[in-house]
Amino acid sequence: MSPRSVIKRVDWTVQPDGEPDAKPLTYAQECDLCGEGSARSTTQESGTLWILEHVRTNPSHSSYTEIVKRGWRAWMRQP
């Protein structure tokens, strides 16, 4: 006889990481025209200020994308 493996089917759950050791939620802004971007920050306001400065020096750059980085956790659900 040959060895056999038994694989158990399990369900996984994921959700944003709210644990005390979770990485902080961070934000950044990126110009859709030139690709330049703000530094990552734990507040959205710094990205907004970066946009205002960037559009002041580049008046034709009016489209931006917000980049949010958020930690997630995964765990096996109990049967």
Side-chain angles (χ1 to χ4, degrees):
M1 290 190 101
S2 62
R4 296 179 60 189
S5 295
V6 176
I7 299 174
K8 180 181 175 183
R9 178 175 161 77
V10 295
D11 291 324
W12 284 83
T13 299
V14 296
Q15 74 178 39
D17 191 350
E19 296 295 321
D21 65 340
K23 290 184 178 181
L25 185 64
T26 60
Y27 306 90
Q29 296 287 349
E30 185 176 271
C31 177
D32 293 339
L33 265 64
C34 71
E36 285 187 42
S38 70
R40 288 203 161 277
S41 174
T42 56
T43 66
Q44 291 176 303
E45 290 78 21
S46 61
T48 302
L49 293 173
W50 179 86
I51 289 174
L52 294 172
E53 179 64 25
H54 188 73
V55 77
R56 184 182 67 76
T57 57
N58 303 278
S60 64
H61 296 200
S62 59
S63 296
Y64 298 85
T65 298
E66 180 179 45
I67 302 164
V68 179
K69 190 171 181 181
R70 174 189 327 250
W72 283 71
R73 284 203 186 254
W75 69 92
M76 284 187 275
R77 277 199 253 173
Q78 299 300 318

